[in-house]
Amino acid sequence: MNNQRVVTGSIGASYMRPRIVAFIPAHNEEKSIRDCLAGLGDQLLPNNVELDVFVIADNCTDRTKEKAELAGDEFDLNVKVLVTEGNKQRKVGALNTAWKKI
């Protein structure tokens, strides 16, 4: 079965590829974020499925953002790091921030 959808418009036909999106809320996880992203990097995806990883560096006072970016490069992952400051809703606030950004 073909999971691609054809969208037509004034630009012509384009094809949307299937995607998996992973949200990883992280508060001061500089020591463990690499291992988490390594696990995602080890996953075998079906052909033509893309993986987008959003790490939400939530109120971090360490190097979580930098470590996540380095690990994304190391494991050839499409990692985007979103930074929150002043989030008082903890994990749910971090996840809501990610939903609003995409």
Short mmCIF file of all heavy atoms in Angstrom, two decimals, residues 19-82:
data_model
loop_
_atom_site.label_atom_id
_atom_site.label_comp_id
_atom_site.label_asym_id
_atom_site.label_seq_id
_atom_site.Cartn_x
_atom_site.Cartn_y
_atom_site.Cartn_z
N ARG A 19 6.38 10.25 8.18
CA ARG A 19 7.33 10.72 9.19
C ARG A 19 6.98 10.15 10.55
O ARG A 19 5.83 9.90 10.85
CB ARG A 19 7.28 12.23 9.33
CG ARG A 19 7.31 13.03 8.08
CD ARG A 19 7.34 14.51 8.37
NE ARG A 19 8.67 14.99 8.64
CZ ARG A 19 9.63 15.08 7.74
NH1 ARG A 19 9.42 14.66 6.52
NH2 ARG A 19 10.80 15.55 8.04
N ILE A 20 8.00 10.03 11.35
CA ILE A 20 7.85 9.75 12.77
C ILE A 20 8.48 10.93 13.50
O ILE A 20 9.57 11.38 13.15
CB ILE A 20 8.57 8.44 13.17
CG1 ILE A 20 7.92 7.25 12.47
CG2 ILE A 20 8.55 8.26 14.69
CD1 ILE A 20 8.65 5.95 12.66
N VAL A 21 7.77 11.46 14.48
CA VAL A 21 8.28 12.57 15.27
C VAL A 21 8.43 12.10 16.71
O VAL A 21 7.49 11.53 17.28
CB VAL A 21 7.32 13.79 15.21
CG1 VAL A 21 7.82 14.91 16.11
CG2 VAL A 21 7.17 14.27 13.79
N ALA A 22 9.60 12.32 17.28
CA ALA A 22 9.87 11.97 18.68
C ALA A 22 10.12 13.25 19.46
O ALA A 22 10.95 14.07 19.06
CB ALA A 22 11.07 11.05 18.77
N PHE A 23 9.39 13.43 20.55
CA PHE A 23 9.61 14.54 21.48
C PHE A 23 10.33 13.99 22.70
O PHE A 23 9.86 13.02 23.31
CB PHE A 23 8.29 15.16 21.94
CG PHE A 23 7.58 15.97 20.90
CD1 PHE A 23 6.21 16.13 20.98
CD2 PHE A 23 8.24 16.59 19.86
CE1 PHE A 23 5.52 16.89 20.05
CE2 PHE A 23 7.57 17.34 18.92
CZ PHE A 23 6.21 17.49 19.02
N ILE A 24 11.43 14.62 23.07
CA ILE A 24 12.19 14.19 24.25
C ILE A 24 12.34 15.38 25.18
O ILE A 24 13.17 16.25 24.96
CB ILE A 24 13.58 13.65 23.86
CG1 ILE A 24 13.43 12.51 22.87
CG2 ILE A 24 14.35 13.23 25.11
CD1 ILE A 24 14.73 12.04 22.29
N PRO A 25 11.49 15.44 26.23
CA PRO A 25 11.68 16.50 27.21
C PRO A 25 12.90 16.17 28.06
O PRO A 25 13.07 15.03 28.49
CB PRO A 25 10.39 16.48 28.04
CG PRO A 25 9.80 15.14 27.81
CD PRO A 25 10.34 14.61 26.52
N ALA A 26 13.76 17.15 28.27
CA ALA A 26 15.01 16.89 28.98
C ALA A 26 15.33 18.06 29.91
O ALA A 26 15.47 19.19 29.45
CB ALA A 26 16.15 16.69 27.98
N HIS A 27 15.45 17.77 31.19
CA HIS A 27 15.85 18.79 32.17
C HIS A 27 17.20 18.37 32.75
O HIS A 27 17.30 17.37 33.46
CB HIS A 27 14.81 18.92 33.28
CG HIS A 27 15.25 19.83 34.38
ND1 HIS A 27 15.32 21.19 34.22
CD2 HIS A 27 15.67 19.57 35.64
CE1 HIS A 27 15.76 21.73 35.35
NE2 HIS A 27 15.98 20.77 36.22
N ASN A 28 18.23 19.13 32.41
CA ASN A 28 19.59 18.85 32.90
C ASN A 28 20.01 17.41 32.66
O ASN A 28 20.37 16.68 33.57
CB ASN A 28 19.72 19.23 34.37
CG ASN A 28 19.64 20.72 34.59
OD1 ASN A 28 19.84 21.50 33.65
ND2 ASN A 28 19.36 21.14 35.80
N GLU A 29 19.97 17.01 31.39
CA GLU A 29 20.26 15.63 30.99
C GLU A 29 21.57 15.51 30.21
O GLU A 29 21.73 14.60 29.40
CB GLU A 29 19.11 15.08 30.14
CG GLU A 29 17.77 15.08 30.81
CD GLU A 29 17.65 14.07 31.92
OE1 GLU A 29 18.47 13.12 31.97
OE2 GLU A 29 16.74 14.22 32.75
N GLU A 30 22.52 16.41 30.44
CA GLU A 30 23.76 16.38 29.66
C GLU A 30 24.49 15.04 29.77
O GLU A 30 25.19 14.65 28.84
CB GLU A 30 24.68 17.53 30.04
CG GLU A 30 25.36 17.39 31.37
CD GLU A 30 26.33 18.53 31.65
OE1 GLU A 30 26.75 19.23 30.71
OE2 GLU A 30 26.67 18.71 32.82
N LYS A 31 24.32 14.33 30.86
CA LYS A 31 25.03 13.05 31.04
C LYS A 31 24.33 11.88 30.38
O LYS A 31 24.95 10.84 30.15
CB LYS A 31 25.22 12.77 32.53
CG LYS A 31 26.15 13.75 33.20
CD LYS A 31 26.33 13.45 34.66
CE LYS A 31 27.26 14.48 35.28
NZ LYS A 31 27.35 14.31 36.73
N SER A 32 23.04 12.03 30.05
CA SER A 32 22.30 10.87 29.52
C SER A 32 21.67 11.10 28.15
O SER A 32 21.21 10.15 27.53
CB SER A 32 21.21 10.46 30.52
OG SER A 32 20.32 11.52 30.74
N ILE A 33 21.63 12.33 27.66
CA ILE A 33 20.93 12.60 26.40
C ILE A 33 21.58 11.88 25.22
O ILE A 33 20.90 11.43 24.31
CB ILE A 33 20.77 14.12 26.14
CG1 ILE A 33 19.75 14.38 25.04
CG2 ILE A 33 22.11 14.78 25.81
CD1 ILE A 33 18.34 14.02 25.40
N ARG A 34 22.89 11.72 25.26
CA ARG A 34 23.58 11.02 24.18
C ARG A 34 23.09 9.58 24.08
O ARG A 34 22.81 9.08 22.99
CB ARG A 34 25.09 11.04 24.38
CG ARG A 34 25.84 10.36 23.26
CD ARG A 34 27.34 10.20 23.56
NE ARG A 34 27.99 9.48 22.49
CZ ARG A 34 27.98 8.15 22.36
NH1 ARG A 34 27.33 7.39 23.23
NH2 ARG A 34 28.59 7.57 21.34
N ASP A 35 22.98 8.89 25.21
CA ASP A 35 22.53 7.50 25.20
C ASP A 35 21.09 7.38 24.70
O ASP A 35 20.75 6.45 23.98
CB ASP A 35 22.64 6.88 26.59
CG ASP A 35 24.07 6.66 27.02
OD1 ASP A 35 24.97 6.63 26.15
OD2 ASP A 35 24.31 6.52 28.24
N CYS A 36 20.27 8.34 25.07
CA CYS A 36 18.88 8.35 24.60
C CYS A 36 18.84 8.49 23.08
O CYS A 36 18.14 7.73 22.39
CB CYS A 36 18.13 9.49 25.27
SG CYS A 36 16.42 9.64 24.77
N LEU A 37 19.61 9.43 22.55
CA LEU A 37 19.62 9.63 21.10
C LEU A 37 20.31 8.48 20.38
O LEU A 37 19.95 8.15 19.24
CB LEU A 37 20.27 10.97 20.77
CG LEU A 37 19.46 12.18 21.25
CD1 LEU A 37 20.24 13.47 21.05
CD2 LEU A 37 18.11 12.25 20.57
N ALA A 38 21.29 7.84 21.01
CA ALA A 38 21.92 6.66 20.41
C ALA A 38 20.89 5.56 20.21
O ALA A 38 20.89 4.87 19.19
CB ALA A 38 23.06 6.16 21.29
N GLY A 39 19.97 5.41 21.16
CA GLY A 39 18.90 4.42 21.03
C GLY A 39 18.00 4.70 19.84
O GLY A 39 17.61 3.79 19.11
N LEU A 40 17.69 5.97 19.62
CA LEU A 40 16.90 6.32 18.44
C LEU A 40 17.69 6.09 17.16
O LEU A 40 17.13 5.64 16.15
CB LEU A 40 16.46 7.78 18.51
CG LEU A 40 15.32 8.09 19.46
CD1 LEU A 40 15.06 9.60 19.51
CD2 LEU A 40 14.06 7.36 19.04
N GLY A 41 18.98 6.38 17.21
CA GLY A 41 19.82 6.17 16.03
C GLY A 41 19.94 4.71 15.64
O GLY A 41 20.19 4.39 14.48
N ASP A 42 19.76 3.81 16.61
CA ASP A 42 19.86 2.37 16.35
C ASP A 42 18.60 1.78 15.71
O ASP A 42 18.61 0.64 15.26
CB ASP A 42 20.12 1.60 17.65
CG ASP A 42 21.54 1.76 18.14
OD1 ASP A 42 22.42 2.16 17.34
OD2 ASP A 42 21.78 1.47 19.33
N GLN A 43 17.51 2.54 15.69
CA GLN A 43 16.25 2.00 15.18
C GLN A 43 16.29 1.86 13.66
O GLN A 43 16.83 2.69 12.95
CB GLN A 43 15.09 2.92 15.56
CG GLN A 43 14.93 3.11 17.04
CD GLN A 43 14.78 1.81 17.79
OE1 GLN A 43 13.92 0.98 17.46
NE2 GLN A 43 15.63 1.60 18.78
N LEU A 44 15.72 0.77 13.20
CA LEU A 44 15.57 0.55 11.76
C LEU A 44 14.19 1.04 11.34
O LEU A 44 13.19 0.59 11.85
CB LEU A 44 15.72 -0.93 11.42
CG LEU A 44 17.09 -1.54 11.69
CD1 LEU A 44 17.07 -3.04 11.40
CD2 LEU A 44 18.14 -0.86 10.84
N LEU A 45 14.19 1.98 10.43
CA LEU A 45 12.92 2.53 9.94
C LEU A 45 12.59 1.92 8.59
O LEU A 45 13.49 1.58 7.82
CB LEU A 45 13.03 4.04 9.80
CG LEU A 45 13.30 4.83 11.07
CD1 LEU A 45 13.51 6.31 10.73
CD2 LEU A 45 12.16 4.68 12.04
N PRO A 46 11.32 1.81 8.29
CA PRO A 46 10.94 1.36 6.94
C PRO A 46 11.48 2.33 5.90
O PRO A 46 11.71 3.50 6.18
CB PRO A 46 9.41 1.39 6.97
CG PRO A 46 9.04 1.38 8.42
CD PRO A 46 10.16 2.06 9.14
N ASN A 47 11.65 1.83 4.69
CA ASN A 47 12.12 2.68 3.59
C ASN A 47 11.22 3.89 3.45
O ASN A 47 10.00 3.80 3.59
CB ASN A 47 12.15 1.90 2.28
CG ASN A 47 13.25 0.88 2.26
OD1 ASN A 47 14.22 0.99 3.00
ND2 ASN A 47 13.09 -0.13 1.43
N ASN A 48 11.83 5.02 3.17
CA ASN A 48 11.13 6.28 2.90
C ASN A 48 10.42 6.88 4.11
O ASN A 48 9.60 7.78 3.95
CB ASN A 48 10.13 6.14 1.75
CG ASN A 48 10.83 5.79 0.46
OD1 ASN A 48 11.91 6.32 0.17
ND2 ASN A 48 10.25 4.90 -0.32
N VAL A 49 10.68 6.40 5.31
CA VAL A 49 10.12 7.00 6.52
C VAL A 49 11.20 7.85 7.15
O VAL A 49 12.33 7.40 7.35
CB VAL A 49 9.63 5.93 7.52
CG1 VAL A 49 9.19 6.57 8.82
CG2 VAL A 49 8.49 5.12 6.92
N GLU A 50 10.86 9.11 7.43
CA GLU A 50 11.81 10.03 8.03
C GLU A 50 11.53 10.18 9.52
O GLU A 50 10.39 10.11 9.95
CB GLU A 50 11.72 11.39 7.34
CG GLU A 50 12.15 11.34 5.89
CD GLU A 50 12.09 12.69 5.20
OE1 GLU A 50 11.98 13.71 5.90
OE2 GLU A 50 12.16 12.70 3.98
N LEU A 51 12.59 10.38 10.28
CA LEU A 51 12.49 10.57 11.73
C LEU A 51 12.93 11.98 12.07
O LEU A 51 14.03 12.40 11.70
CB LEU A 51 13.38 9.56 12.46
CG LEU A 51 13.51 9.73 13.97
CD1 LEU A 51 12.17 9.51 14.66
CD2 LEU A 51 14.56 8.78 14.53
N ASP A 52 12.07 12.71 12.76
CA ASP A 52 12.39 14.03 13.28
C ASP A 52 12.42 13.92 14.80
O ASP A 52 11.47 13.40 15.40
CB ASP A 52 11.35 15.07 12.87
CG ASP A 52 11.33 15.32 11.38
OD1 ASP A 52 12.42 15.41 10.78
OD2 ASP A 52 10.23 15.44 10.82
N VAL A 53 13.49 14.41 15.41
CA VAL A 53 13.63 14.35 16.85
C VAL A 53 13.68 15.76 17.41
O VAL A 53 14.50 16.57 16.97
CB VAL A 53 14.92 13.59 17.25
CG1 VAL A 53 15.05 13.52 18.76
CG2 VAL A 53 14.94 12.19 16.64
N PHE A 54 12.80 16.04 18.34
CA PHE A 54 12.79 17.33 19.03
C PHE A 54 13.18 17.08 20.48
O PHE A 54 12.48 16.38 21.21
CB PHE A 54 11.39 17.97 18.98
CG PHE A 54 11.00 18.44 17.62
CD1 PHE A 54 10.39 17.58 16.72
CD2 PHE A 54 11.24 19.75 17.24
CE1 PHE A 54 10.02 18.01 15.46
CE2 PHE A 54 10.88 20.19 15.97
CZ PHE A 54 10.27 19.32 15.08
N VAL A 55 14.32 17.63 20.87
CA VAL A 55 14.73 17.60 22.27
C VAL A 55 14.32 18.93 22.85
O VAL A 55 14.67 19.99 22.33
CB VAL A 55 16.25 17.39 22.40
CG1 VAL A 55 16.68 17.50 23.86
CG2 VAL A 55 16.67 16.04 21.82
N ILE A 56 13.54 18.88 23.93
CA ILE A 56 13.12 20.10 24.59
C ILE A 56 14.00 20.26 25.83
O ILE A 56 13.81 19.58 26.82
CB ILE A 56 11.63 20.08 24.97
CG1 ILE A 56 10.76 19.75 23.75
CG2 ILE A 56 11.21 21.43 25.54
CD1 ILE A 56 10.30 18.33 23.70
N ALA A 57 14.98 21.16 25.72
CA ALA A 57 15.88 21.45 26.85
C ALA A 57 15.10 22.36 27.79
O ALA A 57 15.03 23.57 27.60
CB ALA A 57 17.16 22.09 26.35
N ASP A 58 14.50 21.76 28.80
CA ASP A 58 13.53 22.43 29.65
C ASP A 58 14.18 23.01 30.91
O ASP A 58 14.56 22.28 31.82
CB ASP A 58 12.44 21.43 30.04
CG ASP A 58 11.31 22.06 30.81
OD1 ASP A 58 10.95 23.21 30.50
OD2 ASP A 58 10.79 21.40 31.73
N ASN A 59 14.29 24.33 30.92
CA ASN A 59 14.85 25.03 32.09
C ASN A 59 16.23 24.51 32.47
O ASN A 59 16.57 24.41 33.65
CB ASN A 59 13.92 24.94 33.30
CG ASN A 59 12.61 25.66 33.10
OD1 ASN A 59 12.55 26.69 32.43
ND2 ASN A 59 11.55 25.12 33.68
N CYS A 60 17.03 24.16 31.50
CA CYS A 60 18.33 23.54 31.77
C CYS A 60 19.36 24.57 32.25
O CYS A 60 19.40 25.70 31.76
CB CYS A 60 18.87 22.84 30.52
SG CYS A 60 17.92 21.39 30.07
N THR A 61 20.19 24.12 33.17
CA THR A 61 21.31 24.93 33.64
C THR A 61 22.63 24.24 33.31
O THR A 61 23.68 24.67 33.79
CB THR A 61 21.21 25.17 35.16
OG1 THR A 61 21.16 23.91 35.84
CG2 THR A 61 19.97 25.98 35.51
N ASP A 62 22.57 23.19 32.53
CA ASP A 62 23.77 22.47 32.12
C ASP A 62 23.91 22.53 30.60
O ASP A 62 23.35 23.40 29.96
CB ASP A 62 23.75 21.02 32.64
CG ASP A 62 22.66 20.18 31.99
OD1 ASP A 62 21.86 20.72 31.18
OD2 ASP A 62 22.59 18.98 32.29
N ARG A 63 24.63 21.59 30.02
CA ARG A 63 24.91 21.61 28.58
C ARG A 63 24.05 20.62 27.80
O ARG A 63 24.47 20.07 26.79
CB ARG A 63 26.40 21.31 28.37
CG ARG A 63 27.30 22.39 28.97
CD ARG A 63 28.77 22.10 28.79
NE ARG A 63 29.06 21.87 27.38
CZ ARG A 63 29.97 20.99 26.94
NH1 ARG A 63 30.68 20.27 27.78
NH2 ARG A 63 30.18 20.84 25.65
N THR A 64 22.83 20.41 28.24
CA THR A 64 21.93 19.48 27.55
C THR A 64 21.77 19.85 26.07
O THR A 64 21.86 18.98 25.20
CB THR A 64 20.54 19.45 28.23
OG1 THR A 64 20.70 18.98 29.57
CG2 THR A 64 19.57 18.56 27.49
N LYS A 65 21.56 21.11 25.78
CA LYS A 65 21.36 21.56 24.40
C LYS A 65 22.56 21.18 23.53
O LYS A 65 22.40 20.57 22.47
CB LYS A 65 21.13 23.07 24.36
CG LYS A 65 20.97 23.64 22.96
CD LYS A 65 20.81 25.17 23.01
CE LYS A 65 20.53 25.78 21.67
NZ LYS A 65 21.56 25.60 20.66
N GLU A 66 23.75 21.53 23.99
CA GLU A 66 24.96 21.26 23.20
C GLU A 66 25.19 19.76 23.03
O GLU A 66 25.55 19.30 21.94
CB GLU A 66 26.18 21.91 23.86
CG GLU A 66 26.16 23.42 23.84
CD GLU A 66 25.35 24.05 24.98
OE1 GLU A 66 24.83 23.31 25.85
OE2 GLU A 66 25.24 25.28 25.00
N LYS A 67 24.98 19.00 24.10
CA LYS A 67 25.19 17.54 24.03
C LYS A 67 24.19 16.89 23.08
O LYS A 67 24.53 15.96 22.35
CB LYS A 67 25.08 16.91 25.43
CG LYS A 67 26.15 17.36 26.39
CD LYS A 67 27.47 16.75 26.07
CE LYS A 67 28.49 17.10 27.15
NZ LYS A 67 29.70 16.31 27.02
N ALA A 68 22.95 17.38 23.07
CA ALA A 68 21.94 16.83 22.16
C ALA A 68 22.29 17.13 20.70
O ALA A 68 22.16 16.27 19.83
CB ALA A 68 20.56 17.40 22.50
N GLU A 69 22.76 18.34 20.45
CA GLU A 69 23.15 18.70 19.08
C GLU A 69 24.34 17.85 18.62
O GLU A 69 24.35 17.36 17.47
CB GLU A 69 23.50 20.18 19.01
CG GLU A 69 22.29 21.07 19.17
CD GLU A 69 22.61 22.55 19.38
OE1 GLU A 69 23.76 22.89 19.76
OE2 GLU A 69 21.70 23.36 19.19
N LEU A 70 25.32 17.66 19.48
CA LEU A 70 26.47 16.83 19.12
C LEU A 70 26.06 15.38 18.86
O LEU A 70 26.52 14.76 17.89
CB LEU A 70 27.53 16.87 20.23
CG LEU A 70 28.29 18.19 20.38
CD1 LEU A 70 29.14 18.16 21.66
CD2 LEU A 70 29.17 18.43 19.16
N ALA A 71 25.19 14.85 19.71
CA ALA A 71 24.74 13.46 19.53
C ALA A 71 23.91 13.32 18.25
O ALA A 71 24.01 12.32 17.55
CB ALA A 71 23.93 13.01 20.74
N GLY A 72 23.11 14.32 17.94
CA GLY A 72 22.34 14.28 16.69
C GLY A 72 23.26 14.18 15.49
O GLY A 72 23.01 13.40 14.57
N ASP A 73 24.33 14.97 15.51
CA ASP A 73 25.31 14.89 14.42
C ASP A 73 26.00 13.54 14.40
O ASP A 73 26.18 12.93 13.35
CB ASP A 73 26.35 16.00 14.56
CG ASP A 73 25.78 17.39 14.28
OD1 ASP A 73 24.71 17.48 13.65
OD2 ASP A 73 26.42 18.37 14.70
N GLU A 74 26.38 13.07 15.57
CA GLU A 74 27.11 11.80 15.67
C GLU A 74 26.29 10.63 15.13
O GLU A 74 26.83 9.75 14.45
CB GLU A 74 27.47 11.53 17.13
CG GLU A 74 28.20 10.24 17.37
CD GLU A 74 28.53 9.98 18.84
OE1 GLU A 74 28.34 10.89 19.68
OE2 GLU A 74 28.98 8.85 19.14
N PHE A 75 25.00 10.61 15.43
CA PHE A 75 24.15 9.49 15.02
C PHE A 75 23.33 9.79 13.77
O PHE A 75 22.42 9.04 13.43
CB PHE A 75 23.24 9.08 16.18
CG PHE A 75 24.02 8.67 17.40
CD1 PHE A 75 23.95 9.42 18.56
CD2 PHE A 75 24.86 7.57 17.37
CE1 PHE A 75 24.68 9.06 19.67
CE2 PHE A 75 25.59 7.21 18.48
CZ PHE A 75 25.51 7.95 19.63
N ASP A 76 23.67 10.87 13.07
CA ASP A 76 23.02 11.25 11.82
C ASP A 76 21.50 11.32 11.97
O ASP A 76 20.75 10.77 11.18
CB ASP A 76 23.41 10.28 10.70
CG ASP A 76 23.09 10.84 9.33
OD1 ASP A 76 23.10 12.09 9.18
OD2 ASP A 76 22.82 10.05 8.41
N LEU A 77 21.08 12.01 13.02
CA LEU A 77 19.66 12.20 13.29
C LEU A 77 19.27 13.63 12.96
O LEU A 77 20.07 14.55 13.12
CB LEU A 77 19.35 11.93 14.77
CG LEU A 77 19.52 10.50 15.26
CD1 LEU A 77 19.44 10.46 16.78
CD2 LEU A 77 18.47 9.60 14.65
N ASN A 78 18.05 13.82 12.55
CA ASN A 78 17.52 15.16 12.34
C ASN A 78 17.00 15.67 13.69
O ASN A 78 15.84 15.52 14.03
CB ASN A 78 16.39 15.13 11.30
CG ASN A 78 15.86 16.51 11.01
OD1 ASN A 78 16.53 17.51 11.22
ND2 ASN A 78 14.63 16.57 10.53
N VAL A 79 17.91 16.26 14.47
CA VAL A 79 17.59 16.73 15.82
C VAL A 79 17.44 18.24 15.81
O VAL A 79 18.30 18.95 15.29
CB VAL A 79 18.69 16.32 16.84
CG1 VAL A 79 18.45 16.98 18.19
CG2 VAL A 79 18.75 14.82 16.98
N LYS A 80 16.34 18.68 16.39
CA LYS A 80 16.13 20.10 16.64
C LYS A 80 15.99 20.25 18.15
O LYS A 80 15.25 19.50 18.79
CB LYS A 80 14.88 20.59 15.94
CG LYS A 80 14.99 20.55 14.43
CD LYS A 80 13.69 20.99 13.78
CE LYS A 80 13.77 20.88 12.28
NZ LYS A 80 13.62 19.54 11.77
N VAL A 81 16.72 21.21 18.72
CA VAL A 81 16.65 21.43 20.16
C VAL A 81 15.85 22.71 20.41
O VAL A 81 16.18 23.77 19.89
CB VAL A 81 18.05 21.54 20.79
CG1 VAL A 81 17.93 21.79 22.30
CG2 VAL A 81 18.87 20.28 20.52
N LEU A 82 14.79 22.56 21.18
CA LEU A 82 13.98 23.69 21.61
C LEU A 82 14.34 24.00 23.06
O LEU A 82 14.48 23.08 23.86
CB LEU A 82 12.49 23.36 21.50
CG LEU A 82 12.01 22.82 20.16
CD1 LEU A 82 10.55 22.40 20.24
CD2 LEU A 82 12.20 23.87 19.09
#
